[in-house]
Amino acid sequence: MVVCGDDGLAHRLAAELRGVYREQVTLVVPPTGGRVHQPVVGRARAASAVLRDIVTAAVSRGGNGDHGRELEATEPTEDVLAEAGVDRAGALALVYDDDETNIRAALTARRLNPGLRLVLRLYNRRLGQHIEELLDQSAALATGGGRATGPDGGDGSTTVLSDAATAAPALAATALVGTSKVVETDGLLLRAVERDPPRPGQVTPPGLGTLALLSATSNDPAGADGSEDSGEQGPQLLPDAAAVEAATGRGTVTLEQVSYSGPPLPAARAGVPPFGELFSRRLRWSLAGLAACVVALAVALMVVTGEHPLHATYVTLLDLFAINEPALDQDRGPQILQLLSGFVGLLLLPVLLAAVLEALGTFRTASTLRKPPRGLGGHVVLLGLGKIGTRVLTQLREMDIPVVCVEADPEARGMATARRLRVPVVLGDVTEEGVLEAAKIHRAHSLLALTSVDTTNLEAVLYARSVRSRLRVVLRLYDDDFATAVYRTLRAAHPDALTRSRSVTHLAAPSFAGAMMGRQILGAIPVERRVLLFAAIEVAGHPQLEGRTVGEAFRAGAWRVLALEVSDGEQGEGTDRSADRGAGSGAGGEGAGSGESRLLWDLPDTYVLRGRDRVVLAATRRGLAELLGRRTRQAANGR
């Protein structure tokens, strides 16, 4: 395996491959004294020292002693990739922070090794789809139209991922419901809900299965919740029914399937304000009153003169705009109506001028930043509009959640998105006094601190807690030890408030590692400071799954089959109609066209998994690594 990157994700990914999958990894990073992302790389290397110590300890207990090397290079040029052994590697991960660098290196690597499995980190999702098709087509043409096979078992596939897109659903869900986690992909939305220990006689709401038992110290303000230690008091992932029944006083993480069915987004997203917002309420009432006067004058003229309604309306409008001849030779009634029409016309001119000015002002302010409106409350305050903040902002607006953003850089990446979504933005340094107050932090529902600087996030959270002690906060912290210490301290100081620390690289690394091993990782859900993976796997070639029932295939603490993917109109043998519940939010959903796929949930334990089946399962990192390792050894023996 070859990993190339310039920030903390590269180091975490390399540690994941070495420590969990026992793979030989070559890590390519910028030199220590280089000019490319030097502050980020320095912080990432210092923070990933704990992971390297874990890997070293794991290897000393019986792992592979030769598990890789580290190269220093400013850019992933052809010579650098050749020196890293791309021509002999099974997979290559390009996780530079710059999309152009990753694309250029991917094109070069595909030419050096058509059978290389590529995993790219791209922020632009639309561009990523085109690049994925291009690289797959290039690999097919290099082998005469067939699937390329690398010298180390690579299949020539290309997977484009985004760390921001992987972490955004979990961060947004944490801000909204505190302890819930969400995995979203291709219309599939899974929500992991943390439930308190059931009381005597309490009925537990139904779900799609128990994912984990929380730490026994989760209710202790100074407990170990939030650490990655897997001791006796730590969380127990994928427990069996006996363990769940025997556990007392421990909360559970239950999987639920949900889909967003709220109202459509307002037309303001397109950048054009609705017609009702062009004019103020007072101006709309003024226009309505003048229109009523015109109608009344036209009716009065029709009654007095006996004219046709259309002709009476025409004459009234001529008098209104002062372009009719004076009614000198007519009766007193038409003369009085002409004077009243002229008076109404004088009132109409300033109203029309005000309407034009207000409409122009509305269109002008539609493209500028909005300020938080008066009386706003129950909203989410989002700090930082970088890559992660922009994804989370989009996720929250799609859920129709009110958001107020705080950003110090007026040219930040997410400013254009905030303007398009018409989200209020407060420009200023969050560490300065008065900035959070301008974002109405004292009436906010939660605070999401997602800047790239840990100390800035911590300072903002501490200040927000001094303003509102029960505020729900979510911090983006890179260093695990630092995150654990902050979590314990904040929880001990504010036991009645919800505090969560999240690391984007910690959430994204398992998905990237699984993709390098050739599996479709749907997402990752954090359980305290551990991670559960959700993957789509072909049953064929896995003796732990093929030919076994769903109940027999389940392995406590390793993996559990959750759903079966079938084509539209197909019904798995041995499943009952109840398995169709919830299939609508899977790929395809209800009303899917012929040939599209959907997911069957609540599979009976007696259903036998066949080789042609494709299943969605929840697995720990080591459990997924065991599945991959056994299949790799079988393929090697077959060759």
Side-chain angles (χ1 to χ4, degrees):
M1 302 291 175
V2 180
V3 178
C4 302
D6 58 356
D7 61 3
L9 180 58
H11 293 272
R12 279 197 186 273
L13 180 54
E16 186 86 11
L17 292 170
R18 292 169 178 169
V20 177
Y21 296 96
R22 296 294 189 266
E23 291 290 337
Q24 186 177 6
V25 182
T26 297
L27 178 62
V28 180
V29 292
T32 304
R35 295 175 294 175
V36 181
H37 301 283
Q38 175 57 31
V40 177
V41 173
R43 187 176 70 248
R45 285 178 173 171
S48 61
V50 176
L51 285 178
R52 290 198 295 269
D53 293 341
I54 295 175
V55 172
T56 303
V59 172
S60 65
R61 292 193 297 265
N64 184 7
D66 182 16
H67 52 108
R69 55 179 178 146
E70 182 173 323
L71 299 179
E72 291 187 348
T74 304
E75 295 182 357
T77 60
E78 181 175 352
D79 295 337
V80 172
L81 294 177
E83 184 181 355
V86 167
D87 56 334
R88 305 179 305 275
L92 167 65
L94 297 167
V95 292
Y96 288 95
D97 191 56
D98 180 52
D99 287 0
E100 182 180 352
T101 301
N102 293 328
I103 294 173
R104 184 169 59 248
L107 296 174
T108 303
R110 179 62 77 208
R111 178 168 47 85
L112 294 176
N113 185 356
L116 182 68
R117 182 182 297 125
L118 289 175
V119 179
L120 278 73
R121 170 191 183 184
L122 295 182
Y123 178 79
N124 191 329
R125 289 181 288 183
R126 179 175 299 178
L127 176 61
Q129 294 177 357
H130 296 305
I131 292 297
E132 187 172 342
E133 295 174 359
L134 175 64
L135 293 173
D136 285 341
Q137 183 179 3
S138 175
L141 292 176
T143 57
R147 170 64 69 179
T149 302
D152 196 29
D155 55 7
S157 63
T158 305
T159 304
V160 176
L161 299 175
S162 169
D163 57 335
T166 302
L171 292 170
T174 306
L176 296 178
V177 290
T179 58
S180 295
K181 295 92 178 177
V182 172
V183 172
E184 183 183 26
T185 177
D186 296 333
L188 175 67
L189 189 62
L190 300 175
R191 178 186 179 192
V193 181
E194 292 185 9
R195 292 174 176 166
D196 295 331
R199 299 176 182 176
Q202 182 180 4
V203 178
T204 303
L208 297 177
T210 300
L211 296 180
L213 294 172
L214 298 177
S215 299
T217 57
S218 59
N219 295 322
D220 183 5
D225 184 14
S227 68
E228 292 199 39
D229 300 332
S230 57
E232 295 181 358
Q233 301 298 328
Q236 184 178 351
L237 303 182
L238 299 176
D240 53 17
V244 175
E245 186 176 355
T248 57
R250 298 179 66 174
T252 59
V253 178
T254 304
L255 185 64
E256 293 180 353
Q257 184 184 11
V258 295
S259 59
Y260 178 69
S261 58
L265 292 178
R269 289 194 60 184
V272 180
F275 178 78
E277 296 184 7
L278 288 176
F279 312 114
S280 65
R281 188 173 184 178
R282 182 180 301 176
L283 184 59
R284 292 198 301 268
W285 278 108
S286 300
L287 290 173
L290 290 175
C293 291
V294 173
V295 172
L297 290 172
V299 172
L301 184 62
M302 179 185 66
V303 173
V304 172
T305 62
E307 299 286 346
H308 190 272
L310 293 179
H311 185 267
T313 304
Y314 174 70
V315 173
T316 302
L317 291 177
L318 291 179
D319 294 336
L320 187 72
F321 295 110
I323 56 178
N324 194 13
E325 294 183 359
L328 298 177
D329 299 333
Q330 298 185 16
D331 296 334
R332 184 170 299 178
Q335 291 178 347
I336 294 176
L337 291 176
Q338 189 178 51
L339 291 176
L340 292 176
S341 298
F343 179 72
V344 173
L346 293 176
L347 297 178
L348 181 62
L349 290 178
V351 174
L352 292 177
L353 179 61
V356 172
L357 294 178
E358 279 199 8
L360 291 177
T362 302
F363 276 103
R364 181 181 301 175
T365 57
S367 59
T368 60
L369 296 176
R370 300 180 60 193
K371 294 182 179 179
R374 295 181 179 180
L376 179 65
H379 57 287
V380 176
V381 177
L382 176 62
L383 308 184
L385 285 176
K387 292 194 306 181
I388 308 299
T390 304
R391 288 277 191 241
V392 174
L393 172 61
T394 304
Q395 186 85 23
L396 292 173
R397 289 301 299 124
E398 288 178 352
M399 300 172 66
D400 204 22
I401 302 299
V403 185
V404 174
C405 300
V406 178
E407 176 57 52
D409 183 10
E411 303 297 330
R413 185 191 296 264
M415 296 299 288
T417 302
R419 291 189 181 95
R420 176 173 58 86
L421 299 179
R422 304 193 68 199
V423 174
V425 178
V426 177
L427 287 176
D429 189 352
V430 70
T431 60
E432 296 179 356
E433 186 176 357
V435 174
L436 285 178
E437 283 82 354
K440 315 293 184 182
I441 192 65
H442 57 286
R443 291 198 297 265
H445 174 270
S446 56
L447 171 66
L448 268 169
L450 302 181
T451 69
S452 58
V453 183
D454 289 359
T455 54
T456 300
N457 295 334
L458 178 59
E459 183 177 355
V461 168
L462 293 177
Y463 182 76
R465 277 287 167 80
S466 66
V467 176
R468 186 178 180 183
S469 60
R470 296 177 62 88
L471 180 69
R472 176 178 297 165
V473 298
V474 180
L475 294 84
R476 175 191 177 186
L477 298 177
Y478 179 83
D479 193 314
D480 287 325
D481 290 341
F482 182 52
T484 303
V486 168
Y487 178 86
R488 291 177 178 176
T489 304
L490 286 177
R491 185 167 182 173
H494 303 278
D496 296 331
L498 289 174
T499 304
R500 292 294 181 267
S501 61
R502 295 289 181 257
S503 170
V504 175
T505 56
H506 178 77
L507 294 174
S511 298
F512 279 81
M516 292 186 71
M517 301 301 297
R519 292 298 175 266
Q520 181 185 354
I521 303 298
L522 302 179
I525 284 181
V527 179
E528 297 177 3
R529 297 297 293 180
R530 301 181 67 186
V531 174
L532 267 178
L533 301 179
F534 292 81
I537 291 182
E538 299 284 350
V539 173
H542 294 284
Q544 310 96 321
L545 304 177
E546 189 174 3
R548 297 174 179 263
T549 64
V550 173
E552 293 172 347
F554 168 63
R555 179 173 297 181
W559 60 76
R560 167 180 288 169
V561 175
L562 299 176
L564 173 68
E565 182 177 312
V566 297
S567 299
D568 185 62
E570 179 186 352
Q571 179 73 22
E573 299 177 4
T575 63
D576 53 25
R577 296 293 179 181
S578 64
D580 284 326
R581 292 195 304 266
S585 66
E590 295 181 4
S594 177
E596 296 186 0
S597 62
R598 58 195 179 98
L599 292 173
L600 298 179
W601 296 90
D602 294 339
L603 289 173
D605 290 342
T606 56
Y607 175 73
V608 179
L609 299 173
R610 300 162 295 178
R612 66 176 183 270
D613 287 340
R614 182 179 177 86
V615 296
V616 175
L617 55 80
T620 62
R621 292 182 294 181
R622 295 191 181 277
L624 187 59
E626 182 178 349
L627 282 174
L628 297 173
R630 289 191 178 183
R631 186 173 184 180
T632 301
R633 287 194 294 270
Q634 279 192 343
N637 295 334
R639 291 196 299 269

